[in-house]
Amino acid sequence: MPSPRLTATALVAVMALATAACGGTAEQDGKERSQSPASIAATAGYPVTLENCGTRQTFTKAPERVVVMNGASVAEVSTLLALGVQDRIVANQQSYGLSEVPGRADAIKALPNGGIKQNDAFDISRESMLEQRPDLVLSNTSYGFNAKNGFATRDQLNTVNARTYISPQGCDEDPSRMTLQDSYALLRDMGKVFGAGDRAEKIITESQKRITDISAKVEGKPKPKTMVIFSNMAMGANEFSAVAAKGIYNDILAKAGGTNAFESASTTSFADLSKEKVAATDVEALVVIAYNDPNVTEYAQKLLKEFPQWTASKNNTYAVLSDSMYLGPSNDLAVEKFAKVLHPDAF
């Protein structure tokens, strides 16, 4: 999701760090080398070291107690599901409520939440985090490890032997540079961490092939000017403040044979637009992204009625999407679905 901070307020206070977790450093693992054959087999391919947002971390085996922070994202939990390592999750706070992948929304809903009650920022306070005794904590951006927000920091979690990971382009909380390659980077990193590298590469190869095939079909065709907006969401002062301007959305649109009508409206990921600005732009196609909104289709149809002058309204050219339109393992589904809306004659 867009890293939109729905209500990013101050969070909860500090508690003492106490726990033991599974993914120690290579040096620590070396002190405990009294392993059974089964244990040795389980750690084949390790240690694995990742450089992540300025932090170097070593995994001596696959994490066993994973906590997935909310971060207004579903990218991290969807990646773990795609890799088949959901049994390692002890607390997940992510959900879009919908998915283009059959069964994924239900699979996410069925994951344990650790009994955590989200705080005012819809995420996990420091106290609640430490109670989970994690050995790996996933956050969409560095926001999730900021002490000023009441979260456990990366250093504090490292003290209790918990590794931490910030997803691609989340180091500086700026998803405006995000592309499809970042989804692949997330898959590769988690594949390495969980000993599922072959599975990660298979998903990436299949996604790349599918997108290449789709793009070839729409090559040379007109590129309709598209509005990408999150349904029933406000992130700024104006009525249309959840309009995507830059980021992975534009990469997906380009692969599907379209272009962003509001790319130049902001230097950041989202444009905060007045109704007049929206009305003055000829939107030729519409993408509405659902974030826990079961009425996304109704919202899309409402927009088309509100702006009958749009070419999109005259031709009823729109698509509703959810997790496939953001960072995650299923971007090829968004490319395919929207390409068929933009260029139905190509399929």
Side-chain angles (χ1 to χ4, degrees):
M1 208 213 130
S3 277
R5 303 282 175 236
L6 302 182
T7 63
T9 58
L11 305 181
V12 196
V14 146
M15 81 170 272
L17 302 171
T19 131
C22 301
T25 64
E27 292 78 5
Q28 291 166 327
D29 188 64
K31 296 175 183 177
E32 302 169 351
R33 289 284 182 185
S34 176
Q35 295 176 299
S36 67
S39 176
I40 294 171
T43 56
Y46 293 88
V48 168
T49 299
L50 286 185
E51 297 281 353
N52 177 244
C53 296
T55 298
R56 180 183 174 88
Q57 298 178 103
T58 297
F59 297 80
T60 58
K61 60 180 177 179
E64 297 175 357
R65 296 189 58 82
V66 182
V67 174
V68 184
M69 298 189 76
N70 179 14
S73 174
V74 79
E76 293 72 31
V77 71
S78 295
T79 297
L80 298 188
L81 282 167
L83 292 174
V85 296
Q86 62 269 22
D87 60 319
R88 309 302 178 90
I89 299 173
V90 296
N92 169 59
Q93 297 298 302
Q94 295 185 346
S95 174
Y96 273 13
L98 300 167
S99 176
E100 277 70 69
V101 179
R104 177 175 288 167
D106 289 338
I108 291 175
K109 186 177 180 180
L111 292 171
N113 63 13
I116 293 169
K117 182 179 179 182
Q118 291 184 353
N119 55 24
D120 291 342
F122 302 102
D123 225 319
I124 308 172
S125 69
R126 182 176 297 116
E127 293 91 340
S128 296
M129 176 66 74
L130 295 171
E131 287 172 357
Q132 297 300 316
R133 298 179 293 109
D135 58 3
L136 175 62
V137 179
L138 303 181
S139 178
N140 190 246
T141 71
S142 58
Y143 180 89
F145 298 119
N146 192 325
K148 294 180 181 178
N149 302 325
F151 298 130
T153 67
R154 302 187 83 181
D155 286 341
Q156 289 166 342
L157 287 164
N158 184 59
T159 299
V160 295
N161 231 14
R163 303 292 165 260
T164 51
Y165 181 85
I166 299 171
S167 290
Q169 302 301 334
C171 301
D172 55 4
E173 300 183 48
D174 180 14
S176 65
R177 297 187 299 271
M178 192 179 290
T179 69
L180 294 170
Q181 294 304 315
D182 293 306
S183 291
Y184 300 148
L186 175 57
L187 272 164
R188 283 197 174 99
D189 284 348
M190 291 300 99
K192 292 174 184 175
V193 167
F194 287 94
D198 289 347
R199 174 62 179 161
E201 291 304 324
K202 183 175 185 290
I203 295 170
I204 291 167
T205 299
E206 290 175 351
S207 173
Q208 290 174 327
K209 182 181 185 305
R210 193 173 190 181
I211 291 174
T212 297
D213 290 346
I214 292 166
S215 295
K217 291 180 179 180
V218 301
E219 186 176 0
K221 293 183 177 294
K223 301 181 183 299
K225 293 179 292 183
T226 304
M227 174 189 235
V228 179
I229 185 170
F230 281 79
S231 61
N232 292 304
M233 184 181 291
M235 294 190 289
N238 288 293
E239 184 175 352
F240 294 91
S241 57
V243 177
K246 291 178 171 60
I248 196 169
Y249 321 103
N250 293 359
D251 199 7
I252 290 172
L253 289 180
K255 299 294 192 298
T259 188
N260 192 330
F262 297 100
E263 181 175 4
S264 62
S266 175
T267 58
T268 61
S269 296
F270 288 88
D272 188 5
L273 305 175
S274 67
K275 183 175 180 178
E276 291 73 22
K277 171 66 174 176
V278 172
T281 304
D282 182 22
V283 172
E284 297 176 291
L286 174 68
V287 174
V288 178
I289 306 175
Y291 174 67
N292 286 313
D293 183 4
N295 300 313
V296 60
T297 299
E298 289 85 342
Y299 180 78
Q301 293 171 344
K302 171 179 168 287
L303 282 181
L304 295 176
K305 290 178 181 178
E306 188 174 0
F307 300 100
Q309 72 276 20
W310 284 352
T311 300
S313 303
K314 295 172 183 176
N315 297 331
N316 200 37
T317 305
Y318 76 97
V320 295
L321 294 164
S322 56
D323 56 344
S324 66
M325 195 67 180
Y326 184 57
L327 182 72
S330 308
N331 298 144
D332 56 308
L333 299 183
V335 172
E336 180 180 43
K337 183 171 182 178
F338 197 51
K340 287 180 177 179
V341 168
L342 289 179
H343 305 289
D345 57 319
F347 295 90

